[in-house]
Amino acid sequence: MLQVRDDETVLVGAAAERRAGVEPECTARGLLHRVGDTVPCVLGERAYPADILVAVLITWIVGAVRESRGSDPELVMLTHPASWGAYRRGQLAGAAREAGVADIVLIPRPVATVETALAARPTRDGLFAASTVGATRAECAIVRATPGDCEVLATVEDDHGAGTHLDEVLMRHVLAGRPHVGESDRLRAACALAKERLAVHGQASVAIPEDSAPVPLSWAEFEPLVRPVAEGAVDRIRRATLAAGVRPEQLDAIALAGGSTRIPLFGALVGEAFGRPVLTDDVPAGVACRGAALAARRLLTPRTPELVTAAAHPEPSAPVAPPPPRPPVDIPGLEPPPRRRFGRRAKAVEE
């Protein structure tokens, strides 16, 4: 998550999330899925190319590593949807170069998810389903792992089964019986926060701008709203196995990732449907990140077989199709500011 305020103060991650309910019109989610799209992201009163905003995120992350470790990272791994072709991978690599990062490797997100699962196994082999329910997209891929390779056999993606869909469902539930209250970005952000609290604590409340009293929510109310989305995750796994030509009973495990899979119902329904081990994590939003870091360690370890992933740059011999034509858009530029600007301004905002 990233927020660019009207004065171009940039907040990233937790700082942006805390301000999202106050200034939702300045907040961008799911930027990765906009890479390669020439239609800009409108934040506040300005429009920015998604590639530039992703470069800002990469700049922030590399700067955070530099501050905590005292040096630049040896290698930067960037995850991406398994369905991406050479054009979009090239655009993502270009965003990294815009951020001043030269040593990069791109890795499909399901492969990174499986890397986390493999770290807990005695051998690097197996057949896995990697099911991710992210903020803006949901994805399931079948991945075959061998000691020197991870191969994506098939992938299935959806828009309607993502975390933002849950936010919309929860907002409609909150608005039921309140005709004087309308939908708004601020209410949507408050519902997103309540969803996270419900997943962990089983109860939450939503503050409605037009009402003085917050609306209490319980797990008993939330579960019927979540169930269709969780059943969608089951359906994606089933469709992915069919596309890969494998049977569910052949899977060694099903790995869940993405913030919404923290909701226990996801793991329960998946386990019940397929009877295979379900791998969950206390911080599911970070599963792919940790897997990418593990893959980077393998690449940097001498005499380790090379991990086979998507190349950091499109192959020179491979024809790269141009993006579909779009009407011209006047887009003001946003240069990735130094990391120090993030830290100083974010701290001022938080105080």
Side-chain angles (χ1 to χ4, degrees):
M1 182 185 294
L2 178 145
Q3 185 178 92
V4 183
R5 305 178 70 187
D6 289 341
D7 62 355
E8 289 199 342
T9 299
V10 182
L11 302 179
V12 176
E17 188 168 1
R18 285 192 290 271
R19 297 288 301 180
V22 180
E23 296 176 301
E25 70 282 358
C26 298
T27 304
R29 302 172 185 265
L31 281 172
L32 182 65
H33 296 284
R34 298 288 303 276
V35 168
D37 190 346
T38 56
V39 174
C41 301
V42 178
L43 301 180
E45 298 182 354
R46 301 197 65 186
Y48 304 102
D51 299 8
I52 291 295
L53 294 178
V54 170
V56 170
L57 284 173
I58 296 172
T59 300
W60 187 90
I61 293 168
V62 171
V65 172
R66 185 183 302 120
E67 287 186 1
S68 63
R69 301 293 185 180
S71 62
D72 287 340
E74 295 180 60
L75 181 67
V76 174
M77 304 285 288
L78 299 176
T79 67
H80 62 84
S83 61
W84 276 17
Y87 172 74
R88 297 189 75 180
R89 296 199 307 270
Q91 292 296 106
L92 180 57
R97 291 192 295 270
E98 183 74 22
V101 178
D103 297 325
I104 60 171
V105 172
L106 305 189
I107 177 172
R109 185 167 48 207
V111 171
T113 298
V114 169
E115 283 289 329
T116 301
L118 290 172
R121 292 171 63 86
T123 59
R124 278 191 54 84
D125 57 10
L127 186 65
F128 300 86
S131 178
T132 301
V133 183
T136 57
R137 288 189 71 82
E139 171 186 49
C140 180
I142 305 302
V143 179
R144 175 175 284 122
T146 62
D149 189 3
C150 280
E151 179 187 5
V152 177
L153 303 182
T155 184
V156 174
E157 294 185 8
D158 286 322
D159 290 327
H160 61 271
T164 50
H165 177 72
L166 271 178
D167 302 341
E168 294 290 335
V169 170
L170 186 57
M171 180 171 64
R172 289 195 293 270
H173 174 76
V174 169
L175 291 177
R178 295 177 175 85
H180 62 289
V181 181
E183 296 185 6
S184 66
D185 289 338
R186 185 169 296 184
L187 179 57
R188 190 172 288 106
C191 289
L193 182 59
K195 175 190 67 180
E196 300 296 330
R197 290 174 177 168
L198 280 164
V200 177
H201 304 294
Q203 57 184 7
S205 62
V206 176
I208 298 180
E210 291 84 351
D211 283 5
S212 57
V215 178
L217 297 169
S218 66
W219 175 252
E221 295 175 87
F222 190 46
E223 181 176 1
L225 305 178
V226 174
R227 182 169 289 273
V229 180
E231 289 172 345
V234 173
D235 180 64
R236 280 188 297 277
I237 296 170
R238 185 172 288 113
R239 285 187 285 144
T241 55
L242 286 172
V246 302
R247 300 186 306 276
E249 56 267 27
Q250 293 178 279
L251 297 172
D252 289 281
I254 300 172
L256 301 185
S260 293
T261 62
R262 177 182 292 184
I263 299 171
L265 187 62
F266 279 85
L269 291 184
V270 168
E272 178 183 331
F274 300 106
R276 307 306 299 150
V278 178
L279 308 179
T280 59
D281 194 274
D282 291 338
V283 188
V287 168
C289 295
R290 286 194 296 280
L294 291 167
R297 185 174 65 181
R298 294 186 61 238
L299 286 174
L300 294 171
T301 301
R303 295 180 298 280
T304 297
E306 182 178 0
L307 177 73
V308 178
T309 66
H313 305 284
E315 298 81 356
S317 60
V320 179
R326 299 276 192 177
V329 180
D330 183 18
I331 304 172
L334 173 64
E335 294 297 326
R339 162 69 180 157
R340 287 188 298 274
R341 180 180 175 188
F342 286 121
R344 182 170 61 252
R345 293 200 175 190
K347 183 176 180 181
V349 170
E350 292 170 13
E351 290 174 350

